[in-house]
Amino acid sequence: MGGVVTLQVLDGADRGRIYENLTPTITIGREEGNTIQLNDERVSRFHLKIQDDQNQYVLTDLESTNGTKVNGEDIHLRILRFGDMISVGRSVLLFGSREQIAARLAQLRGREVPPERTVDANAVEDPVPEKASLDFEINWGDEMPGQSTLHSLLPPELPARLSPGQAAQLCEVLEYLHIRIRDLLASVKVDEKTELATLEQRQWQNLLDLQARLAAYLRAIAEPQE
């Protein structure tokens, strides 16, 4: 495996932050000196580490006070896969970039899609984007013709020039959606051996991606550019 990874904060005081191009070993905790420092009093000073061991990403809980969960399960040592949800204190992080998660979804449906793969522009059967695309993968379905998956909806842009009142109203709407999704995610359990979740894996990743988008929108509204 190897290479760099991305961690997105889905929930907690740092919601909406994205940490890209991180090279293991990665540490997460409340104290300065961690790769990712979280503003969360329920997170230990040095809570966990993620290291690359024999081409696998291994998460180790560093004897934290409140423990670590991966996909809703309490863990001490765990091999991470792109798309896994890490819960520490009141914070929730998504492991992997959109491209890395898309590549894993492609493999789960039985298709090898290297991150830098190119495809024949004239190919018709089950076409895929030049790079692994999460939009493509979460909208892919066995019952759909191959071409139709290329026409997924694009995410909407945030409106510009909002007044403070409008911004507060939009935050309220997004916050409501965020809480609903958070509760749904908290109910999901993943079997480590079979990788089976309560929800079908593609829908599970679809929900995680939507929550990541909503988190980014909320931070952009709360901290407008000067």
Side-chain angles (χ1 to χ4, degrees):
M1 192 178 292
V4 298
V5 298
T6 295
L7 283 155
Q8 306 175 59
V9 184
L10 301 184
D11 212 352
D14 298 286
R15 181 179 61 194
R17 293 194 184 279
I18 301 175
Y19 300 89
E20 299 178 294
N21 299 320
L22 302 178
T23 303
T25 298
I26 300 163
T27 60
I28 299 176
R30 194 180 70 249
E31 194 88 346
E32 288 186 12
N34 284 285
T35 311
I36 297 177
Q37 182 184 8
L38 296 175
N39 298 308
D40 188 334
E41 72 277 5
R42 292 182 61 82
V43 169
S44 294
R45 293 169 58 247
F46 293 91
H47 198 105
L48 65 85
K49 69 177 178 180
I50 300 170
Q51 57 191 337
D52 185 357
D53 182 30
Q54 300 182 18
N55 292 323
Q56 291 182 314
Y57 294 114
V58 179
L59 183 154
T60 305
D61 181 90
L62 300 175
E63 304 296 337
S64 64
T65 301
N66 294 307
T68 300
K69 292 184 177 181
V70 174
N71 299 331
E73 296 292 337
D74 291 310
I75 63 96
H76 176 72
L77 190 67
R78 174 72 177 262
I79 294 175
L80 289 177
R81 297 170 178 84
F82 297 127
D84 280 348
M85 185 175 67
I86 304 168
S87 300
V88 290
R90 293 187 174 90
S91 302
V92 179
L93 299 92
L94 177 63
F95 180 70
S97 67
R98 291 173 59 81
E99 291 77 15
Q100 289 167 334
I101 296 170
R104 183 190 171 203
L105 284 177
Q107 291 171 359
L108 286 175
R109 66 181 174 90
R111 177 150 192 158
E112 294 292 334
V113 184
E116 299 298 328
R117 174 183 173 177
T118 58
V119 296
D120 183 355
N122 296 319
V124 175
E125 184 178 355
D126 194 18
V128 295
E130 180 175 342
K131 292 186 178 181
S133 165
L134 190 55
D135 287 320
F136 177 91
E137 290 299 334
I138 61 180
N139 286 285
W140 183 88
D142 292 323
E143 74 286 353
M144 299 171 63
Q147 289 284 6
S148 66
T149 60
L150 296 178
H151 304 292
S152 57
L153 294 175
L154 295 176
E157 297 291 332
L158 286 172
R161 300 186 183 87
L162 291 174
S163 69
Q166 291 171 326
Q169 286 179 311
L170 183 55
C171 271
E172 188 175 24
V173 172
L174 296 179
E175 185 74 22
Y176 168 77
L177 294 172
H178 191 274
I179 291 172
R180 292 294 302 271
I181 293 172
R182 181 183 64 195
D183 292 342
L184 178 59
L185 293 178
S187 70
V188 174
K189 300 294 182 182
V190 179
D191 188 312
E192 183 178 354
K193 293 182 179 179
T194 64
E195 293 192 53
L196 292 179
T198 302
L199 295 178
E200 191 270 337
Q201 185 69 27
R202 189 164 292 103
Q203 295 302 324
W204 165 241
Q205 296 297 168
N206 197 348
L207 288 170
L208 286 175
D209 179 63
L210 177 58
Q211 190 180 25
R213 288 187 184 279
L214 291 176
Y217 286 170
L218 285 167
R219 179 165 291 277
I221 293 171
E223 299 179 358
Q225 296 293 327
E226 295 294 337

